């Protein structure tokens, strides 16, 4: 499972994001953005979606 880490998020603290990601066993992709990486870092989000889709297709 992939998960994003918005390192400049002020809504959900990055430490909480890291804890949740670790708890669920996610692969983390860091995005140097605030709470809305899909608006500020769309290329990072697209890359994560493509990697997740490729992983599901290869299973």
């Amino acid at each position: 499972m992939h998960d994003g880490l918005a390192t400049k998020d002020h809504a959900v603290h990055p430490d909480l994001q890291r804890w949740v990601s670790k708890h669920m066993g996610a692969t983390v992709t860091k995005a140097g953005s605030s709470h809305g990486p899909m608006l500020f870092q769309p290329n990072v989000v697209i890359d994560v979606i493509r990697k997740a889709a490729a992983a599901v297709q290869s299973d």
Side-chain angles (χ1 to χ4, degrees):
M1 177 177 289
H2 290 281
D3 192 17
L5 175 64
T7 58
K8 297 179 182 177
D9 198 333
H10 295 286
V12 180
H13 196 279
D15 288 342
L16 177 58
Q17 295 178 55
R18 286 184 194 93
W19 182 86
V20 170
S21 297
K22 183 178 179 180
H23 181 71
M24 61 193 265
T27 299
V28 176
T29 301
K30 293 182 182 178
S33 74
S34 62
H35 192 67
M38 60 286 213
L39 299 173
F40 305 111
Q41 299 269 329
N43 291 334
V44 173
V45 175
I46 290 168
D47 188 46
V48 168
I49 292 169
R50 287 181 177 149
K51 286 179 182 176
V56 171
Q57 290 176 348
S58 67
D59 284 346

